[in-house]
Amino acid sequence: MKREATAAQTCLQLQSQYPSKVALPNTTEYIYENSEYWNVLNSLSPACIVNPSSADDVSAFVKTFTGAEIPFAVRGGGHMTALDSNNINSTGILISADNLTSLALSDDKQTLSVGPGNRWVDVYQYLSPYGIAVPGGRIGIVGVPGLLLGGGMSYFSGQYGFSSTSVKAYEVVLANGEIVTATANNSFSDLHWALKGGGNSFGIVTRFDLQTHPAPYTYIGMNAYNPLEISQWLDAIYNFATYGQTEYPEAAVIPFSNYIPNLSPVPVPTTIVFYDSKTPLGGVNATALQNFSAPRLTPLTSTYVKRDMYAWSQELDPASSALKGDRQRFHALTAFNSPDTVQTIHNTFMAVAEQMISIVTGVEAALAIMPVSKNWVEQSNAGAGDPMGLDESKAPYIFVEQSLTWGLPVDDATIENFVTVVNQQLNAVLDAKGLKSSFLYLNDADGGQPVFQGYKPENVAKLKAIREKYDPKRIYTDLMPGGWKVADVES
Ligand SMILES: Cc1cc2nc3c(=O)[nH]c(=O)nc-3n(C[C@H](O)[C@H](O)[C@H](O)COP(=O)(O)OP(=O)(O)OC[C@H]3O[C@@H](n4cnc5c(N)ncnc54)[C@H](O)[C@@H]3O)c2cc1C
């Protein structure tokens, strides 16, 4: 109670100081900001919500919270599903990035500077006239900062690695309020490295400078297949991970199987297929995508055409947005690629889903089985590499994202039980076959999953030292508790 009173009092003080930048409970702006969450369970009703419009504002707010010992959270696009990762209850204050929406392209068009209040669709709209791209989210509605701080899986990752590989500079508000710019070559190069997948333990990023890439002829669309052809579809995933993206790094796929009992009693295999062609017509019948295309695997429906990421966002975002604000759960798993891996993961997950959640109201279970090829890992590890430090010799990997959406609180326990049971089975069977990797992709992880424990141990030690150097008082660990904290990993 005392903490709530302190937070509320600080909110009133801040409001008199920054009237247009502080939203108090029950105001229209507060209600809007508190509902900007993919997972409704993260609408936690903080004491107030501050909307900085510059790095200086962020610095001032952080200093105030630190001085008054008020817990706080920071939120970009609000798409992280893990509970409490991006908001805080009424004992604390939320920093929203919604007014940090700068976008600027350098004169030579090599660098795009992006404020953390942007979503990827804003970035793609801005870049659309130029025929260039940055390796960002594969769907427009996702926020820029969370995706980049957790690594970032992009359609361009076969060519350029995780999205964070393309971050040339981060402008960061450190725990003491100092504003610094971290690049790979300046005196903050350790911080630059840590932010390429180390999450939110190091500072609040107020600008990302991204390397752009030419991409005038991208092709993209969604293919849905006959459920009777699931086995061939799973083989296509295996082949793409091992051969397709290795030979053709400009190709990408997101294969996912959708189990929506209201629409179909069986899972429907679906794939987003992407090709960054180097010639105007190169995406037509692209060899890299043949296993996902007729005549090998004939889609029942396909929207694959030449268009840029902005046009793609306009197709995909409205349908995806329909799920925003439902009850959501993600759970991550990583395995080594083999024909058995993909079949085992799919068949185990769906068998348990059909048994345990078919009667959950409004349930949608999507199982994304995502190839991470050797060249993807090599690109990410080039130079200083990133904190994730995936082992090239063990690639290709399969990143699995289990995504659950449901409607009613009464079903929370059933979902919880399902996630526990299905993952016990998946882990046991993959472990027994020597197919399980301990890596967990931060951006798709569930609250409580041991993300940093799956990073390379020497990288975790390095991350911990960097955190200690820039935030000795543990402001971004203890006072800003949401999200995965590298300090929580036991030595
Ligand atoms: C529909 C959907 C599609 C997705 N597609 C992809 C995809 O294609 N590729 C992929 O890699 N991932 C994808 N993800 C996962 C996504 O990358 C993560 O959810 C990511 O965290 C979202 O970024 P955000 O800014 O919206 O996150 P938020 O929820 O706003 O924040 C996530 C974390 O980052 C911290 N944070 C936010 N802003 C800052 C900042 N400025 N400085 C420091 N810390 C900050 C927050 O405190 C929080 O812990 C998807 C998720 C969803 C729900």
Side-chain angles (χ1 to χ4, degrees), residues 20-79:
S20 63
K21 295 180 182 175
V22 179
L24 296 176
N26 301 319
T27 58
T28 312
E29 196 187 345
Y30 177 99
I31 292 165
Y32 167 78
E33 288 285 351
N34 188 46
S35 61
E36 273 300 283
Y37 286 94
W38 178 251
N39 180 3
V40 69
L41 298 172
N42 275 332
S43 295
L44 298 175
S45 304
C48 61
I49 299 172
V50 298
N51 268 293
S53 54
S54 66
D56 285 332
D57 284 352
V58 173
S59 168
F61 287 132
V62 168
K63 283 185 197 159
T64 302
F65 303 154
T66 307
E69 294 184 13
I70 310 272
F72 62 101
V74 61
R75 197 268 319 278
H79 272 67

Side-chain angles (χ1 to χ4, degrees), residues 38 74-81 85-86 116 137-139 141-147 149 152-153 200 203-205 330 441 443-444 480 482-483:
W38 178 251
V74 61
R75 197 268 319 278
H79 272 67
M80 187 165 273
T81 306
S85 59
N86 47 16
R138 296 168 299 182
I139 174 171
I141 52 178
V142 174
V144 167
L147 183 135
L149 292 167
M153 301 179 73
N200 69 359
I204 296 182
V205 180
F330 272 17
Y441 179 47
N443 278 330
D444 289 342
M480 192 179 93

Side-chain angles (χ1 to χ4, degrees), residues 407-428:
L408 302 175
V410 70
D411 291 317
D412 290 359
T414 306
I415 296 290
E416 175 71 38
N417 200 17
F418 167 69
V419 171
T420 306
V421 170
V422 79
N423 282 287
Q424 273 165 357
Q425 292 196 16
L426 283 168
N427 284 319

Side-chain angles (χ1 to χ4, degrees), residues 44 111 338:
L44 298 175
T111 309
S338 77

